[in-house]
Structure formats: structure tokens, C-alpha cells
Amino acid sequence: MEPRNQTSVSEFLLLGFSQDSENQPILFGLFLSMYLVTVFGNLLIILAVSSDSHLHTPMYFFLSNLSFADICFISTTIPKMLVNIQTQSKSITYAGCIAQMYFFMVFGCMDTFLLTVMAYDRFVAICHPLHYTVIMNPWLCGLLVLVSWFISLSYSLIQSLLMLWLSFCTNRVIPHFYCELTQALMLACSDTLVNHILQYIVTGLLGIVPFSGILFSYSRIASSILRIPSANGKYKTFSTCASHLSVVSLFYGTGLGVYLSSDASSWRGMIASLMYTVVTPMLNPFIYSLRNRDIKRALQKVLRITLYVQ
């Protein structure tokens, strides 16, 4: 059976945050600044980890992968938004919309898996410190990242291919700042039952299973910390996973705000989307570097080398 690509529109319209032309320069400056800070901050984390041999450990290996995923994650939405603001256009091509959905799902899933893997890493480090180097060996770390990529790419590809089977009518307005899957499905004229079933099943699995893994890891971590006799020992142990716990809380808190919102196209839904697609990737480098002496030392080394070269 041949795919039915009978879309009657060649492009969609992204309404974004404001229809007022006077607010466009402010929004452009704000989102450009956030984008540059996010890219620059996460690139520094990657450079710091790759340039310092002391940071060639599982925790920082996963952190550098998370930074790369965050750069790609924010790059799927903000550049197009900036172009539309600058050109005072709200359009995105049909192919561009499908591509944006695909990469958004890929890197959103990668963030979820990497945060789960990092929670497992902290669990092994705190609960099984004597066996840490044996369990978290380079082969396992690489395998965990590869499996995360495979699942993310596979789901996103299947969901994007299913979108190509849909036909769209004259309504082409997406009340969001990017091609959000649910909003795009609402514009389809053909039956979207399969799309919705896949979305709900996989979203549930990719949300519940990783989050359950994180909760299990931190429940065991909390149990181990409570058994430490000294308060100073408890603080030092907890500080090793405080940054990751902060990022998990921010990512899942805002992500759940989007999917539990009764109307994802409302201001509340868009602000929640903005938080986990833009603000969370921007804050991650600060969260992981401000209280981490190893990262600070490596960043200072990178900056000194950069200034010396210049």
C-alpha cells in the first residue's frame, strides 16, 4: 500500500508568543541571548571534559553527552523562531515542520535517557563504591549511550514517518513556537488514531520507565546516605549527586507541566514548554559547574588556553 501524502498545504504557521510587532525586538534579543548562553555554556562543558584527563570518568562522559544533546535540543526550535521574528514571518515548510518534530523528539528522548543513566551512575558510585570501576566500565558506558541513541532515533523516525501518511486541510495554524506533535496532529483531516496510540504508549514508557529508574536509584542513594554516621559524610556524599538531582527536578517538573496541561497551546503550556526546551538546557552548565570543583578547574584551564592562543 502506498503512503497517502495528500497534504493540501506546503507550510504551517507558528503563532509564537506575541502577535505585537513592538514586542518582536525584545523577544528576538531575549531568545538570542538564551540560545548563545546555552550553546556557549554546554560547549565549555564538553571542552572541559574532553581536555582534562581527570574528568575522563563515567559521570563526566555522560555529562558531556548531555551537553551535546542539550545544544542540539535547543537548536531544533530557537534558530527557526529567531529567523521568523527577524523576517516577521510565521511560516515553516511542511518538510521543515516534520524535520523539527523528528529532531525535537530525538534529543528530548536523549535527555530523558541520559538523566536516567546518570542517576544509575550515582547509584553505583554511592551504593557500590568498591565495585564502581568494574560495573561502570567503558564498554557499559558506551553501550548505555548507544542504546539511548538507538531508542530515541527509532521512536522519532517511526512517529515522523506516520506523520507523512496524514493529510492536512486548510487550517495550518499551530498555536505554538515550534511544531509540537500534538498540535500538528489536531490539524490533520485523516485518521490519527495510530499516531495518538503510539504517542501515548511511547510517551508513557519513555516517561514512566526512566523516571521510575531515577526514583529507584535515589531511594537507594537516600537509604545509603542515611546510614552514614557523620553529618559531614552525609553532606559530602549528597553533594556528589545534588547537581544531577537539581537538573532532574527542573527537567521533569517542567516536562510534566507541559503534558499535564489541559491546553498545551495556552500561555501556561507554552511557558512550561519554554522552560524545559530552553531554560533547562541553559541552566544545566551552571548547575553542574558552580558547585563542582573539578569542572571549575577544567574550565579555568580551557579559558587560560583560549586566552593564551589569542
Side-chain angles (χ1 to χ4, degrees), residues 6-287:
Q6 300 174 351
T7 178
S8 59
V9 294
S10 60
E11 63 180 16
F12 294 99
L13 297 179
L14 302 174
L15 293 187
F17 285 96
S18 176
Q19 309 298 319
D20 192 347
S21 59
E22 295 181 358
N23 295 330
Q24 300 303 308
I26 299 175
L27 290 175
F28 182 85
L30 175 63
F31 286 115
L32 178 61
S33 301
M34 296 172 73
Y35 179 70
L36 292 177
V37 169
T38 302
V39 173
F40 182 70
N42 283 287
L43 277 178
L44 281 179
I45 294 292
I46 296 173
L47 288 174
V49 172
S50 60
S51 63
D52 194 332
S53 59
H54 295 93
L55 300 182
H56 293 175
T57 62
M59 179 176 69
Y60 295 113
F61 170 70
F62 296 134
L63 176 58
S64 61
N65 277 275
L66 179 66
S67 294
F68 173 75
D70 281 341
I71 292 174
C72 298
F73 192 35
I74 193 173
S75 296
T76 62
T77 56
I78 298 303
K80 179 56 181 175
M81 183 198 299
L82 294 175
V83 170
N84 282 5
I85 292 175
Q86 185 66 21
T87 59
Q88 296 186 357
S89 170
K90 298 183 182 300
S91 65
I92 182 171
T93 63
Y94 175 78
C97 187
I98 299 297
Q100 189 179 67
M101 285 183 200
Y102 172 74
F103 289 110
F104 183 87
M105 289 185 285
V106 168
F107 297 114
C109 291
M110 276 303 298
D111 269 8
T112 302
F113 286 124
L114 287 172
L115 289 174
T116 306
V117 169
M118 292 171 76
Y120 175 70
D121 173 76
R122 292 299 82 204
F123 158 70
V124 176
I126 294 173
C127 299
H128 304 282
L130 298 179
H131 303 285
Y132 178 74
T133 55
V134 176
I135 297 175
M136 299 303 296
N137 57 75
W139 184 87
L140 178 62
C141 294
L143 180 64
L144 289 172
V145 172
L146 285 176
V147 170
S148 299
W149 276 111
F150 176 77
I151 296 175
S152 301
L153 291 168
S154 299
Y155 162 65
S156 303
L157 180 62
I158 293 172
Q159 190 65 268
S160 299
L161 289 176
L162 286 175
M163 287 292 297
L164 297 176
W165 286 72
L166 301 179
S167 59
F168 294 88
C169 301
T170 55
N171 183 15
R172 55 195 179 102
V173 177
I174 299 178
H176 220 296
F177 64 94
Y178 66 94
C179 280
E180 204 270 332
L181 176 62
T182 304
Q183 295 296 320
L185 288 175
M186 293 174 63
L187 303 181
C189 295
S190 52
D191 185 17
T192 60
L193 179 61
V194 176
N195 302 74
H196 280 109
I197 290 176
L198 177 65
Q199 181 186 11
Y200 292 140
I201 292 176
V202 178
T203 300
L205 290 176
L206 296 184
I208 295 174
V209 174
F211 189 60
S212 299
I214 292 174
L215 290 179
F216 172 78
S217 297
Y218 274 104
S219 65
R220 298 294 300 273
I221 289 172
S223 178
S224 296
I225 291 176
L226 291 175
R227 289 198 297 266
I228 298 176
S230 65
N232 188 44
K234 291 179 180 179
Y235 173 78
K236 287 184 177 180
T237 305
F238 177 75
S239 64
T240 63
C241 55
S243 298
H244 176 261
L245 188 59
S246 301
V247 172
V248 168
S249 301
L250 186 60
F251 181 82
Y252 274 96
T254 54
L256 288 173
V258 173
Y259 290 104
L260 295 180
S261 175
S262 58
D263 185 5
S265 63
S266 65
W267 265 98
R268 181 183 300 177
M270 283 197 288
I271 293 299
S273 296
L274 180 69
M275 287 295 294
Y276 91 97
T277 59
V278 180
V279 177
T280 300
M282 181 182 68
L283 293 180
N284 283 356
F286 297 99
I287 294 174

